[in-house]
PDB file of all heavy atoms in Angstrom:
ATOM      1  N   PHE F  17       0.833  -1.204   0.000  1.00  0.00           N
ATOM      2  CA  PHE F  17       0.000   0.000   0.000  1.00  0.00           C
ATOM      3  C   PHE F  17       0.866   1.251   0.000  1.00  0.00           C
ATOM      4  O   PHE F  17       0.642   2.186  -0.788  1.00  0.00           O
ATOM      5  CB  PHE F  17      -0.912  -0.006   1.228  1.00  0.00           C
ATOM      6  CG  PHE F  17      -1.625   1.310   1.474  1.00  0.00           C
ATOM      7  CD1 PHE F  17      -2.705   1.679   0.688  1.00  0.00           C
ATOM      8  CD2 PHE F  17      -1.213   2.169   2.472  1.00  0.00           C
ATOM      9  CE1 PHE F  17      -3.348   2.886   0.890  1.00  0.00           C
ATOM     10  CE2 PHE F  17      -1.853   3.369   2.692  1.00  0.00           C
ATOM     11  CZ  PHE F  17      -2.930   3.730   1.905  1.00  0.00           C
ATOM     12  N   GLU F  18       1.879   1.287   0.848  1.00  0.00           N
ATOM     13  CA  GLU F  18       2.738   2.474   0.927  1.00  0.00           C
ATOM     14  C   GLU F  18       3.485   2.710  -0.380  1.00  0.00           C
ATOM     15  O   GLU F  18       3.670   3.858  -0.805  1.00  0.00           O
ATOM     16  CB  GLU F  18       3.710   2.323   2.094  1.00  0.00           C
ATOM     17  CG  GLU F  18       3.016   2.380   3.450  1.00  0.00           C
ATOM     18  CD  GLU F  18       3.942   2.034   4.604  1.00  0.00           C
ATOM     19  OE1 GLU F  18       5.101   1.641   4.330  1.00  0.00           O
ATOM     20  OE2 GLU F  18       3.508   2.144   5.765  1.00  0.00           O
ATOM     21  N   ARG F  19       3.898   1.633  -1.037  1.00  0.00           N
ATOM     22  CA  ARG F  19       4.601   1.808  -2.307  1.00  0.00           C
ATOM     23  C   ARG F  19       3.661   2.323  -3.401  1.00  0.00           C
ATOM     24  O   ARG F  19       4.066   3.124  -4.251  1.00  0.00           O
ATOM     25  CB  ARG F  19       5.277   0.500  -2.728  1.00  0.00           C
ATOM     26  CG  ARG F  19       6.481   0.172  -1.863  1.00  0.00           C
ATOM     27  CD  ARG F  19       7.233  -1.054  -2.328  1.00  0.00           C
ATOM     28  NE  ARG F  19       8.315  -1.361  -1.395  1.00  0.00           N
ATOM     29  CZ  ARG F  19       9.517  -0.777  -1.426  1.00  0.00           C
ATOM     30  NH1 ARG F  19       9.781   0.148  -2.351  1.00  0.00           N
ATOM     31  NH2 ARG F  19      10.443  -1.117  -0.542  1.00  0.00           N
ATOM     32  N   PHE F  20       2.411   1.881  -3.387  1.00  0.00           N
ATOM     33  CA  PHE F  20       1.473   2.407  -4.369  1.00  0.00           C
ATOM     34  C   PHE F  20       1.158   3.874  -4.104  1.00  0.00           C
ATOM     35  O   PHE F  20       0.999   4.666  -5.042  1.00  0.00           O
ATOM     36  CB  PHE F  20       0.193   1.564  -4.392  1.00  0.00           C
ATOM     37  CG  PHE F  20       0.188   0.543  -5.478  1.00  0.00           C
ATOM     38  CD1 PHE F  20       0.565  -0.763  -5.219  1.00  0.00           C
ATOM     39  CD2 PHE F  20      -0.162   0.883  -6.781  1.00  0.00           C
ATOM     40  CE1 PHE F  20       0.589  -1.718  -6.223  1.00  0.00           C
ATOM     41  CE2 PHE F  20      -0.143  -0.065  -7.793  1.00  0.00           C
ATOM     42  CZ  PHE F  20       0.235  -1.367  -7.517  1.00  0.00           C
ATOM     43  N   VAL F  21       1.055   4.244  -2.840  1.00  0.00           N
ATOM     44  CA  VAL F  21       0.838   5.657  -2.522  1.00  0.00           C
ATOM     45  C   VAL F  21       2.016   6.492  -3.020  1.00  0.00           C
ATOM     46  O   VAL F  21       1.844   7.535  -3.663  1.00  0.00           O
ATOM     47  CB  VAL F  21       0.628   5.849  -1.005  1.00  0.00           C
ATOM     48  CG1 VAL F  21       0.672   7.334  -0.643  1.00  0.00           C
ATOM     49  CG2 VAL F  21      -0.708   5.249  -0.577  1.00  0.00           C
ATOM     50  N   THR F  22       3.224   6.028  -2.755  1.00  0.00           N
ATOM     51  CA  THR F  22       4.421   6.744  -3.216  1.00  0.00           C
ATOM     52  C   THR F  22       4.447   6.835  -4.743  1.00  0.00           C
ATOM     53  O   THR F  22       4.769   7.884  -5.311  1.00  0.00           O
ATOM     54  CB  THR F  22       5.689   6.043  -2.702  1.00  0.00           C
ATOM     55  OG1 THR F  22       5.662   6.033  -1.271  1.00  0.00           O
ATOM     56  CG2 THR F  22       6.939   6.752  -3.173  1.00  0.00           C
ATOM     57  N   PHE F  23       4.117   5.729  -5.403  1.00  0.00           N
ATOM     58  CA  PHE F  23       4.074   5.706  -6.869  1.00  0.00           C
ATOM     59  C   PHE F  23       3.099   6.747  -7.406  1.00  0.00           C
ATOM     60  O   PHE F  23       3.435   7.556  -8.295  1.00  0.00           O
ATOM     61  CB  PHE F  23       3.689   4.299  -7.328  1.00  0.00           C
ATOM     62  CG  PHE F  23       3.077   4.201  -8.687  1.00  0.00           C
ATOM     63  CD1 PHE F  23       3.828   4.477  -9.825  1.00  0.00           C
ATOM     64  CD2 PHE F  23       1.754   3.802  -8.838  1.00  0.00           C
ATOM     65  CE1 PHE F  23       3.253   4.369 -11.096  1.00  0.00           C
ATOM     66  CE2 PHE F  23       1.188   3.697 -10.097  1.00  0.00           C
ATOM     67  CZ  PHE F  23       1.934   3.992 -11.225  1.00  0.00           C
ATOM     68  N   ARG F  24       1.881   6.788  -6.876  1.00  0.00           N
ATOM     69  CA  ARG F  24       0.869   7.707  -7.397  1.00  0.00           C
ATOM     70  C   ARG F  24       1.158   9.143  -7.002  1.00  0.00           C
ATOM     71  O   ARG F  24       0.922  10.061  -7.799  1.00  0.00           O
ATOM     72  CB  ARG F  24      -0.516   7.248  -6.924  1.00  0.00           C
ATOM     73  CG  ARG F  24      -0.959   5.970  -7.655  1.00  0.00           C
ATOM     74  CD  ARG F  24      -2.182   5.321  -7.095  1.00  0.00           C
ATOM     75  NE  ARG F  24      -2.598   4.206  -7.951  1.00  0.00           N
ATOM     76  CZ  ARG F  24      -3.153   3.096  -7.516  1.00  0.00           C
ATOM     77  NH1 ARG F  24      -3.383   2.926  -6.221  1.00  0.00           N
ATOM     78  NH2 ARG F  24      -3.488   2.137  -8.356  1.00  0.00           N
ATOM     79  N   GLU F  25       1.679   9.352  -5.816  1.00  0.00           N
ATOM     80  CA  GLU F  25       2.064  10.711  -5.439  1.00  0.00           C
ATOM     81  C   GLU F  25       3.185  11.215  -6.341  1.00  0.00           C
ATOM     82  O   GLU F  25       3.237  12.407  -6.674  1.00  0.00           O
ATOM     83  CB  GLU F  25       2.470  10.753  -3.970  1.00  0.00           C
ATOM     84  CG  GLU F  25       1.292  10.610  -3.023  1.00  0.00           C
ATOM     85  CD  GLU F  25       1.700  10.604  -1.555  1.00  0.00           C
ATOM     86  OE1 GLU F  25       2.897  10.378  -1.264  1.00  0.00           O
ATOM     87  OE2 GLU F  25       0.817  10.818  -0.698  1.00  0.00           O
ATOM     88  N   GLY F  26       4.080  10.313  -6.749  1.00  0.00           N
ATOM     89  CA  GLY F  26       5.152  10.698  -7.660  1.00  0.00           C
ATOM     90  C   GLY F  26       4.640  11.127  -9.024  1.00  0.00           C
ATOM     91  O   GLY F  26       5.340  11.844  -9.757  1.00  0.00           O
ATOM     92  N   LEU F  27       3.423  10.712  -9.382  1.00  0.00           N
ATOM     93  CA  LEU F  27       2.805  11.112 -10.642  1.00  0.00           C
ATOM     94  C   LEU F  27       2.003  12.401 -10.505  1.00  0.00           C
ATOM     95  O   LEU F  27       1.436  12.882 -11.493  1.00  0.00           O
ATOM     96  CB  LEU F  27       1.886   9.995 -11.148  1.00  0.00           C
ATOM     97  CG  LEU F  27       2.560   8.650 -11.430  1.00  0.00           C
ATOM     98  CD1 LEU F  27       1.514   7.603 -11.782  1.00  0.00           C
ATOM     99  CD2 LEU F  27       3.585   8.778 -12.553  1.00  0.00           C
ATOM    100  N   GLY F  28       1.950  12.959  -9.296  1.00  0.00           N
ATOM    101  CA  GLY F  28       1.270  14.230  -9.081  1.00  0.00           C
ATOM    102  C   GLY F  28      -0.102  14.138  -8.457  1.00  0.00           C
ATOM    103  O   GLY F  28      -0.834  15.131  -8.418  1.00  0.00           O
ATOM    104  N   MET F  29      -0.485  12.970  -7.952  1.00  0.00           N
ATOM    105  CA  MET F  29      -1.799  12.797  -7.351  1.00  0.00           C
ATOM    106  C   MET F  29      -1.722  12.909  -5.829  1.00  0.00           C
ATOM    107  O   MET F  29      -0.726  12.528  -5.221  1.00  0.00           O
ATOM    108  CB  MET F  29      -2.381  11.421  -7.688  1.00  0.00           C
ATOM    109  CG  MET F  29      -2.299  11.012  -9.143  1.00  0.00           C
ATOM    110  SD  MET F  29      -2.973   9.333  -9.367  1.00  0.00           S
ATOM    111  CE  MET F  29      -2.098   8.819 -10.851  1.00  0.00           C
ATOM    112  N   GLU F  30      -2.789  13.409  -5.213  1.00  0.00           N
ATOM    113  CA  GLU F  30      -2.932  13.318  -3.761  1.00  0.00           C
ATOM    114  C   GLU F  30      -3.740  12.061  -3.451  1.00  0.00           C
ATOM    115  O   GLU F  30      -4.853  11.890  -3.953  1.00  0.00           O
ATOM    116  CB  GLU F  30      -3.650  14.538  -3.186  1.00  0.00           C
ATOM    117  CG  GLU F  30      -3.807  14.450  -1.669  1.00  0.00           C
ATOM    118  CD  GLU F  30      -4.656  15.548  -1.062  1.00  0.00           C
ATOM    119  OE1 GLU F  30      -5.555  16.072  -1.779  1.00  0.00           O
ATOM    120  OE2 GLU F  30      -4.454  15.886   0.112  1.00  0.00           O
ATOM    121  N   ILE F  31      -3.173  11.170  -2.628  1.00  0.00           N
ATOM    122  CA  ILE F  31      -3.809   9.895  -2.306  1.00  0.00           C
ATOM    123  C   ILE F  31      -4.203   9.887  -0.830  1.00  0.00           C
ATOM    124  O   ILE F  31      -3.370  10.093   0.054  1.00  0.00           O
ATOM    125  CB  ILE F  31      -2.864   8.714  -2.594  1.00  0.00           C
ATOM    126  CG1 ILE F  31      -2.372   8.768  -4.040  1.00  0.00           C
ATOM    127  CG2 ILE F  31      -3.557   7.403  -2.299  1.00  0.00           C
ATOM    128  CD1 ILE F  31      -3.461   8.661  -5.083  1.00  0.00           C
ATOM    129  N   LEU F  32      -5.481   9.640  -0.578  1.00  0.00           N
ATOM    130  CA  LEU F  32      -6.003   9.563   0.783  1.00  0.00           C
ATOM    131  C   LEU F  32      -6.350   8.114   1.097  1.00  0.00           C
ATOM    132  O   LEU F  32      -7.011   7.454   0.288  1.00  0.00           O
ATOM    133  CB  LEU F  32      -7.266  10.424   0.920  1.00  0.00           C
ATOM    134  CG  LEU F  32      -7.159  11.879   0.457  1.00  0.00           C
ATOM    135  CD1 LEU F  32      -8.527  12.529   0.465  1.00  0.00           C
ATOM    136  CD2 LEU F  32      -6.197  12.655   1.359  1.00  0.00           C
ATOM    137  N   PRO F  33      -5.927   7.597   2.238  1.00  0.00           N
ATOM    138  CA  PRO F  33      -6.316   6.223   2.590  1.00  0.00           C
ATOM    139  C   PRO F  33      -7.801   6.156   2.943  1.00  0.00           C
ATOM    140  O   PRO F  33      -8.366   7.113   3.492  1.00  0.00           O
ATOM    141  CB  PRO F  33      -5.448   5.920   3.812  1.00  0.00           C
ATOM    142  CG  PRO F  33      -5.182   7.261   4.423  1.00  0.00           C
ATOM    143  CD  PRO F  33      -5.096   8.232   3.280  1.00  0.00           C
ATOM    144  N   THR F  34      -8.430   5.029   2.617  1.00  0.00           N
ATOM    145  CA  THR F  34      -9.846   4.878   2.946  1.00  0.00           C
ATOM    146  C   THR F  34     -10.062   4.843   4.453  1.00  0.00           C
ATOM    147  O   THR F  34     -11.117   5.256   4.943  1.00  0.00           O
ATOM    148  CB  THR F  34     -10.418   3.599   2.322  1.00  0.00           C
ATOM    149  OG1 THR F  34      -9.556   2.494   2.667  1.00  0.00           O
ATOM    150  CG2 THR F  34     -10.500   3.722   0.814  1.00  0.00           C
ATOM    151  N   THR F  35      -9.069   4.351   5.186  1.00  0.00           N
ATOM    152  CA  THR F  35      -9.149   4.312   6.644  1.00  0.00           C
ATOM    153  C   THR F  35      -7.801   4.724   7.220  1.00  0.00           C
ATOM    154  O   THR F  35      -6.761   4.588   6.572  1.00  0.00           O
ATOM    155  CB  THR F  35      -9.490   2.894   7.146  1.00  0.00           C
ATOM    156  OG1 THR F  35      -8.484   1.974   6.677  1.00  0.00           O
ATOM    157  CG2 THR F  35     -10.858   2.443   6.654  1.00  0.00           C
ATOM    158  N   GLY F  36      -7.852   5.244   8.448  1.00  0.00           N
ATOM    159  CA  GLY F  36      -6.613   5.535   9.158  1.00  0.00           C
ATOM    160  C   GLY F  36      -6.020   6.901   8.902  1.00  0.00           C
ATOM    161  O   GLY F  36      -4.931   7.217   9.407  1.00  0.00           O
ATOM    162  N   GLY F  37      -6.695   7.743   8.122  1.00  0.00           N
ATOM    163  CA  GLY F  37      -6.189   9.089   7.865  1.00  0.00           C
ATOM    164  C   GLY F  37      -6.512  10.044   9.009  1.00  0.00           C
ATOM    165  O   GLY F  37      -7.283   9.735   9.918  1.00  0.00           O
ATOM    166  N   ALA F  38      -5.938  11.234   8.956  1.00  0.00           N
ATOM    167  CA  ALA F  38      -6.179  12.221  10.008  1.00  0.00           C
ATOM    168  C   ALA F  38      -7.619  12.714  10.004  1.00  0.00           C
ATOM    169  O   ALA F  38      -8.173  13.056  11.054  1.00  0.00           O
ATOM    170  CB  ALA F  38      -5.215  13.401   9.831  1.00  0.00           C
ATOM    171  N   ARG F  39      -8.243  12.744   8.829  1.00  0.00           N
ATOM    172  CA  ARG F  39      -9.646  13.171   8.682  1.00  0.00           C
ATOM    173  C   ARG F  39     -10.359  12.170   7.781  1.00  0.00           C
ATOM    174  O   ARG F  39      -9.712  11.518   6.956  1.00  0.00           O
ATOM    175  CB  ARG F  39      -9.735  14.568   8.057  1.00  0.00           C
ATOM    176  CG  ARG F  39      -9.099  15.680   8.854  1.00  0.00           C
ATOM    177  CD  ARG F  39      -9.056  16.959   8.012  1.00  0.00           C
ATOM    178  NE  ARG F  39     -10.385  17.401   7.624  1.00  0.00           N
ATOM    179  CZ  ARG F  39     -10.622  18.234   6.591  1.00  0.00           C
ATOM    180  NH1 ARG F  39      -9.628  18.652   5.822  1.00  0.00           N
ATOM    181  NH2 ARG F  39     -11.858  18.617   6.315  1.00  0.00           N
ATOM    182  N   PRO F  40     -11.683  12.049   7.896  1.00  0.00           N
ATOM    183  CA  PRO F  40     -12.417  11.189   6.974  1.00  0.00           C
ATOM    184  C   PRO F  40     -12.179  11.646   5.540  1.00  0.00           C
ATOM    185  O   PRO F  40     -12.200  12.849   5.243  1.00  0.00           O
ATOM    186  CB  PRO F  40     -13.880  11.382   7.392  1.00  0.00           C
ATOM    187  CG  PRO F  40     -13.813  11.827   8.807  1.00  0.00           C
ATOM    188  CD  PRO F  40     -12.560  12.645   8.921  1.00  0.00           C
ATOM    189  N   PRO F  41     -11.934  10.700   4.612  1.00  0.00           N
ATOM    190  CA  PRO F  41     -11.613  11.118   3.242  1.00  0.00           C
ATOM    191  C   PRO F  41     -12.695  11.950   2.585  1.00  0.00           C
ATOM    192  O   PRO F  41     -12.388  12.837   1.795  1.00  0.00           O
ATOM    193  CB  PRO F  41     -11.375   9.792   2.512  1.00  0.00           C
ATOM    194  CG  PRO F  41     -11.924   8.732   3.395  1.00  0.00           C
ATOM    195  CD  PRO F  41     -11.851   9.244   4.785  1.00  0.00           C
ATOM    196  N   ILE F  42     -13.965  11.704   2.916  1.00  0.00           N
ATOM    197  CA  ILE F  42     -15.020  12.487   2.260  1.00  0.00           C
ATOM    198  C   ILE F  42     -14.939  13.954   2.658  1.00  0.00           C
ATOM    199  O   ILE F  42     -15.252  14.846   1.852  1.00  0.00           O
ATOM    200  CB  ILE F  42     -16.412  11.893   2.547  1.00  0.00           C
ATOM    201  CG1 ILE F  42     -17.438  12.509   1.600  1.00  0.00           C
ATOM    202  CG2 ILE F  42     -16.809  12.083   4.010  1.00  0.00           C
ATOM    203  CD1 ILE F  42     -18.752  11.776   1.535  1.00  0.00           C
ATOM    204  N   ASP F  43     -14.498  14.235   3.880  1.00  0.00           N
ATOM    205  CA  ASP F  43     -14.349  15.634   4.302  1.00  0.00           C
ATOM    206  C   ASP F  43     -13.202  16.306   3.547  1.00  0.00           C
ATOM    207  O   ASP F  43     -13.315  17.454   3.109  1.00  0.00           O
ATOM    208  CB  ASP F  43     -14.108  15.712   5.807  1.00  0.00           C
ATOM    209  CG  ASP F  43     -15.323  15.298   6.622  1.00  0.00           C
ATOM    210  OD1 ASP F  43     -16.439  15.277   6.059  1.00  0.00           O
ATOM    211  OD2 ASP F  43     -15.155  14.985   7.818  1.00  0.00           O
ATOM    212  N   VAL F  44     -12.088  15.577   3.394  1.00  0.00           N
ATOM    213  CA  VAL F  44     -10.953  16.132   2.664  1.00  0.00           C
ATOM    214  C   VAL F  44     -11.326  16.346   1.196  1.00  0.00           C
ATOM    215  O   VAL F  44     -11.018  17.394   0.604  1.00  0.00           O
ATOM    216  CB  VAL F  44      -9.725  15.216   2.783  1.00  0.00           C
ATOM    217  CG1 VAL F  44      -8.543  15.798   2.001  1.00  0.00           C
ATOM    218  CG2 VAL F  44      -9.342  15.012   4.240  1.00  0.00           C
ATOM    219  N   LEU F  45     -12.008  15.375   0.598  1.00  0.00           N
ATOM    220  CA  LEU F  45     -12.374  15.497  -0.813  1.00  0.00           C
ATOM    221  C   LEU F  45     -13.377  16.628  -1.027  1.00  0.00           C
ATOM    222  O   LEU F  45     -13.352  17.298  -2.072  1.00  0.00           O
ATOM    223  CB  LEU F  45     -12.933  14.177  -1.328  1.00  0.00           C
ATOM    224  CG  LEU F  45     -11.930  13.026  -1.392  1.00  0.00           C
ATOM    225  CD1 LEU F  45     -12.624  11.740  -1.841  1.00  0.00           C
ATOM    226  CD2 LEU F  45     -10.770  13.344  -2.325  1.00  0.00           C
ATOM    227  N   THR F  46     -14.256  16.863  -0.057  1.00  0.00           N
ATOM    228  CA  THR F  46     -15.163  18.011  -0.143  1.00  0.00           C
ATOM    229  C   THR F  46     -14.374  19.309  -0.223  1.00  0.00           C
ATOM    230  O   THR F  46     -14.656  20.183  -1.056  1.00  0.00           O
ATOM    231  CB  THR F  46     -16.106  18.028   1.070  1.00  0.00           C
ATOM    232  OG1 THR F  46     -16.938  16.858   1.034  1.00  0.00           O
ATOM    233  CG2 THR F  46     -16.990  19.259   1.057  1.00  0.00           C
TER     234      THR F  46
END
């Protein structure tokens, strides 16, 4: 999972985990 996050962030994307993040992803995406 961490390697895929690093891979996609390296392409310019912001990646939010479905669980375990500092805020619920729907709030961040809003």
Side-chain angles (χ1 to χ4, degrees):
F17 169 76
E18 291 172 354
R19 288 185 184 277
F20 263 96
V21 169
T22 300
F23 157 68
R24 288 170 174 146
E25 288 178 342
L27 300 174
M29 313 178 205
E30 180 187 28
I31 305 298
L32 308 172
T34 51
T35 58
R39 298 171 61 200
I42 193 165
D43 292 342
V44 179
L45 293 177
T46 296

